[in-house]
Amino acid sequence: MTDAVEIRNAVKRYGNVTALHGVSLTIRDNEFFTLLGPSGCGKTTLLRMIAGFEDVTEGEIRLFGQNIANLEPNHRPVNTVFQHYALFPHMSVIDNVAFGLKMQKVAQDARRKRAAEMLEMVHLSAFADRLPAQLSGGQQQRVALARALAPSPKVLLLDEPLSALDLKLRQAMRVELKQLQEDTGITFIFVTHDQEEALTMSDRIAVMSAGHVQQIGTAQEIYEAPVNRFVADFIGETNLLPVEVLSVRDGRAEVTLPGGHRLQVAAAGQGIGKHHLSIRPERMALTEAGDLQAVVDRVVYLGTDRQVIARLEDGTPLHLRLQNSDRVAVPAPGKRVGLAVEAGAARLLAD
Amino acid sequence: MALRNVRHYPGFLAMTVACLVILYAPLLVVMAYSFNDSTSITNWGGVSLRWYTDVFTGPEAPRFKAAAWNSLTIAVIAATSATAIATAAALAMLRAGGFKGRSLTYALINLPLMVPEIVIAVASLIFFSMVGLTPGYLTILIAHITFCIPFAYLPIAARLQGIDGSFEQAARDLYASRAQSFFLILLPLMMPGVVSGYLLAFIISLDDFIITNFVKGAGMETLPTAIYGSVKQGIKPNIMAISTLMLGVSILFVTLSYLINRKGQKSL
Amino acid sequence: MAGPGSNHAPGPGSWRGILVPLLLPTWAMIGIFLLLPVLLMAVYSFLTKEFRGGVEWEFSLAAYDQFFLNRGLFGDEPPTLEWTYITVFARSIAQAAGATALCLLIGFPTAWFIATRPASSRGIWLFLITVPYWVNLLIRTVSLRFLIRENGPLNDALMGVGLISEPLQIINTNMAVQLGLFYSYLPFMVLPIYAAVERYSFAYSEAAADLYANRWVTLREIVLPIVRPGIVAGCILVFIPSLGAFLAPNLLGGAKNFMIGSLIEEQFKKSLGNWPFGAAVSMILMTLVLIVLFVQARAATRQEVR
């Protein structure tokens, strides 16, 4: 398979501020790729560099093999869905959708036809002659999508396109976006700070922080095998415990937890010394006599499950999730319990 | 209705009404007396249009016609030039990012608003006499273009500031060249500001008395200087007729500008 | 989300290189026809006067000397402070301050009243307040003079309803000048205060009410301090043009109440002109204005920092 976008050592500096520190990543053709990270991590900057709104201080951006770092935005076969859509307020919906084709000098008949098809695709044919201001937020969002897809770009860039929508609409749009990507076969590069959005839609995710790519992988890889504390903490909920690796043998490490308990976990190249261990709350269970002894501090009812906060002997708090089910016993606060960690659920981190 | 509405202060409505009465009473009185059929301004002699006829055909008519023509052409040329200059300036100030000399330029644009009018008048007179430009139509025009720039700039810049940069970027993203994204997207969106700026500059030029009075030279009159010259000897009924006509023009302009602005705000 | 100033970042699609030259006409027009003339005026204030108007190019402090010092009729007595022109300035400052106070007194309630109307009707109220400003200043001033003159419609009306038995002497008084200045610049007071009140959160007033403050205490202790920047801006915007005003004092104030504007204008009349002195008075006026603006800008920055 060809690579749609290849970014090599991209650096972006604004004066003395470095927004991107040598980012390299490869996005495959036909992929739903997400740049995920907190605000200020550089994800939007990277997207705007691909679109051509920010110049590249150092490095290369290749689109299907061609270096586009110095091309003007109107010469790049990529289109963008802007965060607040940027629908031209003085043009009708259909004129907005046809704008890119008009700029590409597509004949009037052909572009009207194509624009109408695109509106059909996003179920907005009835609104063709309205002005953007007369549409709801969700409808504007679809027009923005139709407009960006109308010129059949090689890559579609989406800059937090769902952030302005309310929760229900956002959830519905996730499914639609993914469907649209599969139907069109166009590479989508999606920027978001919402991990749930990223996990549900993406083929692969690049987690970014402070101008660096922290980890690239599928949703499952990133959730279950985070490489460092930032990724483990940013994606989902986790218990981060400072541990000491005592010995490493055959890919297995023996670690000491706070309070002195010992645990066998998978090692990923870490040596002997201080590290962090990530354990997801839903991957521990209460037992009579588990690996760990703890005292239940508090139980919080959350609907689908219960959160149990327990303390190890030295007082370190651990969060657990217990499924809300008749078959799972709810411990009373103050009760001494054992905790069983599922095999492979404890993840030794690189830092 | 709450027991106490924190927005309400007793007497504030009365003050507002008083404010409007003070603002409008003189204008309404002059308007009414312009239809007075008496040669005396003190007595009411019934309704007539004789002073309007007098404005156009009376002994002072040629003088006022010439002055009106000067005022109008100067206002049109000054407003057009100032609007073009201010539009260019606003684009540079708000779309070029931070560049060297930006804050200095900002101060320069606002200079005509900071220097008192009478000082501008004195400085212009001195400058024109120094470079040997004979006071007249041209000197009035140059002075008007200069002091109209900030008035045209303010609404244009305000409008441009409200237009998110993503519109131009979206156009560029959709294969528009720089020129296309300016003419097809940015300029149409700026238009309400440009029109407001034009109207404001036009009115300001038409309004000016002090600066014009200093740089106009002998024999050259605009409407305000002609009216002033006439009023010095006392207010005559024909002046009230002219005033009412000018009032009508002003109100037409301000209404136009108000409507354009309101429409513009809706579209963004 | 994006980097600093990302909207205007000099990416490949940037405008910067093309846009900055667009400032050339502005620099040229204001630089040559305003900044340069003002500098030239400063030079003129240090030149020697010529009797037919204009100057001789010879350095002289005569203009400033004439403004500040009294050396007797023949110029040979020990100099004492000359009060004639300082009095004109003092009177102008007092008149401008009076007009500013009048504008504030009526403008604040008006601005507050408008800002507390429903959003849909605010535009109309603002429109009503600003319309007179768009009417030619000379015409407005002439209209006011017509209305308040000794046997004018105002006195007629007041005597007609029996409120007064003799015509009120309003025209040619300080009061008339202040009224004229008020009339000229009122929208400059209302608009900034309106903008400040519109941003003001009425929850503060409700909190004050909740904590036992009455309306007027709330106004003094809570509202005024919070909307102060708008009030200060309004006062500056009225005070500064009032200080150099020409039409209102000239047409309404009579010979006794003339202000800086008339003093300057006198110096440029054909026969009895004194250009260096006129330039010097203009310089002093401009310095005064710049000091006011500078102090206000400093105060505003300090408030922002806080």
Side-chain angles (χ1 to χ4, degrees):
Chain A
M1 219 191 309
T2 17
D3 292 330
V5 178
E6 190 186 357
I7 294 158
R8 283 191 206 152
N9 277 316
V11 174
K12 176 69 194 178
R13 275 189 290 268
Y14 299 99
N16 297 325
V17 184
T18 304
L20 286 179
H21 302 265
V23 166
S24 294
L25 52 85
T26 304
I27 298 163
R28 299 180 198 126
D29 193 12
N30 215 345
E31 188 173 36
F32 197 121
F33 192 91
T34 297
L35 299 170
L36 172 67
S39 61
C41 72
K43 58 188 191 299
T44 299
T45 305
L46 187 57
L47 191 82
R48 292 168 59 83
M49 279 161 73
I50 301 171
F53 303 129
E54 307 274 352
D55 57 9
V56 184
T57 312
E58 282 166 32
E60 272 184 15
I61 297 182
R62 292 183 170 276
L63 191 79
F64 292 95
Q66 183 202 3
N67 187 357
I68 58 165
N70 293 317
L71 275 187
E72 302 245 342
N74 52 329
H75 295 134
R76 299 185 187 202
V78 300
N79 291 134
T80 308
V81 177
F82 288 81
Q83 188 171 9
H84 299 290
Y85 320 137
L87 297 177
F88 305 131
H90 58 306
M91 292 182 186
S92 67
V93 164
I94 189 98
D95 286 343
N96 262 281
V97 176
F99 187 86
L101 300 164
K102 188 178 173 189
M103 293 300 106
Q104 289 181 319
K105 303 203 163 52
V106 174
Q108 169 137 22
D109 291 348
R111 67 173 192 253
R112 296 288 296 190
K113 186 161 166 282
R114 170 81 178 155
E117 279 169 21
M118 297 314 288
L119 282 181
E120 180 92 55
M121 183 185 75
V122 296
H123 317 298
L124 283 175
S125 301
F127 299 89
D129 295 320
R130 299 234 187 142
L131 287 175
Q134 297 167 306
L135 302 185
S136 71
Q139 289 166 336
Q140 291 183 17
Q141 212 273 332
R142 288 156 191 268
V143 176
L145 258 173
R147 183 177 74 174
L149 285 170
S152 309
K154 289 185 173 165
V155 174
L156 185 75
L157 308 174
L158 302 103
D159 185 5
E160 308 225 16
L162 306 183
S163 63
L165 305 179
D166 61 40
L167 183 66
K168 284 268 184 248
L169 204 50
R170 205 153 63 212
Q171 286 168 340
M173 280 309 294
R174 282 178 199 159
V175 181
E176 266 191 59
L177 268 182
K178 180 65 188 153
Q179 188 66 47
L180 202 58
Q181 190 265 328
E182 280 164 10
D183 291 349
T184 55
I186 292 173
T187 307
F188 278 29
I189 304 178
F190 187 89
V191 159
T192 184
H193 64 271
D194 182 330
Q195 41 145 327
E196 206 178 307
E197 233 167 70
L199 294 178
T200 48
M201 288 189 288
S202 318
D203 294 321
R204 286 193 307 147
I205 300 167
V207 182
M208 294 183 67
S209 153
H212 293 278
V213 171
Q214 303 290 340
Q215 186 172 2
I216 300 175
T218 63
Q220 193 172 354
E221 281 164 1
I222 283 179
Y223 187 79
E224 299 195 356
V227 294
N228 58 26
R229 269 193 290 169
F230 177 82
V231 177
D233 198 31
F234 188 73
I235 311 288
E237 195 190 349
T238 196
N239 293 290
L240 277 182
L241 301 171
V243 296
E244 179 135 21
V245 176
L246 300 174
S247 64
V248 184
R249 190 177 304 143
D250 302 334
R252 302 290 294 172
E254 182 165 26
V255 301
T256 326
L257 299 183
H261 288 281
R262 293 193 177 184
L263 207 60
Q264 291 277 335
V265 297
Q270 291 88 347
I272 288 170
K274 291 189 191 305
H275 289 282
H276 280 87
L277 190 70
S278 159
I279 309 175
R280 297 286 182 195
E282 72 279 10
R283 305 213 45 192
M284 284 188 283
L286 294 181
T287 58
E288 288 304 321
D291 311 322
L292 295 169
Q293 292 295 312
V295 176
V296 174
D297 198 11
R298 160 194 293 276
V299 179
V300 183
Y301 177 75
L302 296 174
T304 55
D305 49 13
R306 285 190 169 82
Q307 183 184 43
V308 176
I309 302 166
R311 292 189 183 274
L312 297 179
E313 261 139 52
D314 70 329
T316 307
L318 268 184
H319 291 215
L320 285 81
R321 290 293 178 107
L322 297 185
Q323 211 188 336
N324 186 1
S325 157
D326 291 344
R327 279 166 290 156
V328 179
V330 181
K335 193 185 171 201
R336 178 164 284 278
V337 291
L339 303 177
V341 180
E342 287 177 29
R347 180 81 196 170
L348 200 54
L349 304 175
D351 58 342
Chain B
M1 182 81 190
L3 281 176
R4 174 159 151 200
N5 178 356
V6 295
R7 290 170 173 77
H8 176 74
Y9 277 83
F12 278 22
L13 169 64
M15 287 292 224
T16 308
V17 172
C19 185
L20 289 175
V21 168
I22 299 174
L23 287 179
Y24 284 93
L27 299 179
L28 294 176
V29 165
V30 162
M31 230 190 265
Y33 273 80
S34 73
F35 296 104
N36 186 1
D37 189 37
S38 160
T39 20
S40 147
I41 53 163
T42 11
N43 306 318
W44 181 256
V47 179
S48 97
L49 288 175
R50 65 180 281 200
W51 297 114
Y52 289 91
T53 323
D54 183 79
V55 166
F56 292 103
T57 57
E60 287 191 291
R63 187 164 146 257
F64 281 125
K65 264 186 202 153
W69 178 249
N70 288 337
S71 267
L72 196 71
T73 53
I74 287 171
V76 167
I77 302 172
T80 309
S81 318
T83 306
I85 293 169
T87 304
L91 282 170
M93 293 297 283
L94 293 170
R95 284 297 195 265
F99 55 88
K100 226 174 142 188
R102 188 172 180 275
S103 44
L104 214 67
T105 307
Y106 186 74
L108 198 69
I109 293 172
N110 284 295
L111 196 63
L113 300 178
M114 313 233 289
V115 179
E117 256 190 291
I118 185 92
V119 176
I120 298 181
V122 168
S124 304
L125 172 63
I126 288 174
F127 175 78
F128 288 135
S129 89
M130 164 103 190
V131 298
L133 217 52
T134 319
Y137 194 89
L138 184 65
T139 53
I140 300 176
L141 190 60
I142 291 173
H144 279 222
I145 294 173
T146 308
F147 72 69
C148 280
I149 291 174
F151 290 97
Y153 178 83
L154 289 174
I156 297 172
R159 176 75 185 181
L160 188 54
Q161 205 153 32
I163 301 172
D164 197 277
S166 66
F167 291 125
E168 292 135 270
Q169 287 170 0
R172 300 277 279 141
D173 188 59
L174 294 163
Y175 314 106
S177 65
R178 278 204 180 93
Q180 283 171 320
S181 85
F182 175 72
F183 285 107
L184 296 178
I185 305 300
L186 193 56
L187 195 59
L189 292 178
M190 282 174 74
M191 224 43 209
V194 173
V195 174
S196 281
Y198 184 91
L199 294 178
L200 189 56
F202 187 90
I203 286 284
I204 292 292
S205 165
L206 217 53
D207 191 65
D208 179 73
F209 167 74
I210 302 174
I211 298 170
T212 310
N213 191 38
F214 268 69
V215 301
K216 74 185 174 63
M220 172 63 62
E221 300 280 7
T222 62
L223 263 184
T225 64
I227 293 173
Y228 182 81
S230 169
V231 161
K232 270 273 140 186
Q233 281 93 47
I235 305 169
K236 281 171 284 177
N238 62 343
I239 293 297
M240 289 193 264
I242 292 181
S243 297
T244 305
L245 290 173
M246 285 182 78
L247 213 109
V249 172
S250 300
I251 287 172
L252 184 77
F253 265 78
V254 64
T255 310
L256 222 60
S257 144
Y258 174 76
L259 292 176
I260 288 167
N261 255 328
R262 217 176 49 167
K263 195 157 163 262
Q265 259 158 23
K266 269 189 202 147
S267 76
L268 259 191
Chain C
M1 196 95 346
S6 63
N7 272 350
H8 317 302
S14 126
W15 292 81
R16 178 188 274 173
I18 306 168
L19 288 180
V20 174
L22 287 179
L23 286 169
L24 277 173
T26 307
W27 289 332
M29 283 308 287
I30 300 183
I32 296 173
F33 297 115
L34 185 60
L35 189 59
L36 192 63
V38 166
L39 297 176
L40 198 63
M41 181 186 79
V43 173
Y44 262 53
S45 73
F46 292 103
L47 295 180
T48 307
K49 84 165 176 175
E50 194 179 276
F51 282 93
R52 288 164 286 112
V55 288
E56 276 172 43
W57 281 84
E58 197 174 311
F59 177 78
S60 161
L61 282 173
Y64 293 96
D65 195 291
Q66 180 185 348
F67 189 95
F68 288 110
L69 298 177
N70 180 356
R71 294 177 192 274
L73 201 54
F74 302 101
D76 51 359
E77 289 166 34
T80 54
L81 200 57
E82 165 68 63
W83 286 102
T84 315
Y85 305 113
I86 295 175
T87 309
V88 175
F89 266 71
R91 181 162 59 227
S92 300
I93 292 171
Q95 300 277 48
T100 308
L102 198 61
C103 281
L104 183 58
L105 192 72
I106 296 187
F108 181 85
T110 303
W112 178 278
F113 179 80
I114 295 174
T116 53
R117 291 312 90 200
S120 54
S121 58
R122 279 179 219 161
I124 294 289
W125 283 101
L126 284 177
F127 177 73
L128 283 175
I129 293 291
T130 41
V131 164
Y133 174 72
W134 289 65
V135 175
N136 194 296
L137 179 62
L138 175 62
I139 287 178
R140 275 185 289 156
T141 312
V142 168
S143 302
L144 190 61
R145 177 167 141 175
F146 178 74
L147 180 68
I148 63 175
R149 74 191 201 288
E150 215 170 322
N151 43 6
L154 181 66
N155 275 321
D156 283 357
L158 289 177
M159 287 198 291
V161 296
L163 229 55
I164 49 172
S165 53
E166 302 238 319
L168 284 177
Q169 174 69 42
I170 308 175
I171 195 86
N172 298 343
T173 63
N174 284 334
M175 177 66 198
V177 176
Q178 284 170 30
L179 198 63
L181 293 174
F182 162 82
Y183 192 31
S184 307
Y185 304 118
L186 178 74
F188 292 164
M189 181 66 85
V190 174
L191 293 179
I193 297 180
Y194 165 79
V197 176
E198 205 192 22
R199 281 195 306 270
Y200 173 78
S201 163
F202 293 97
Y204 295 133
S205 289
E206 285 168 351
D210 187 54
L211 296 165
Y212 316 110
N214 71 31
R215 260 181 231 298
W216 302 102
V217 172
T218 305
L219 185 67
R220 193 181 69 224
E221 298 289 325
I222 311 296
V223 174
L224 290 182
I226 292 179
V227 301
R228 216 186 70 150
I231 295 177
V232 172
C235 289
I236 297 279
L237 286 176
V238 172
F239 183 79
I240 285 182
S242 295
L243 200 57
F246 175 76
L247 286 175
N250 207 269
L251 291 173
L252 302 169
K256 277 206 320 267
N257 299 304
F258 74 99
M259 287 170 54
I260 304 171
S262 307
L263 175 63
I264 293 174
E265 200 240 12
E266 288 277 301
Q267 311 309 321
F268 294 91
K269 279 188 177 161
K270 270 278 153 331
S271 50
L272 23 89
N274 182 344
W275 285 33
F277 184 64
V281 178
S282 299
M283 285 299 292
I284 295 166
L285 170 63
M286 195 172 69
T287 312
L288 208 61
V289 165
L290 291 181
I291 288 172
V292 173
L293 285 176
F294 181 72
V295 168
Q296 194 252 341
R298 278 281 296 272
T301 335
R302 215 173 305 141
Q303 184 137 29
E304 248 167 57
V305 170
R306 241 180 35 204

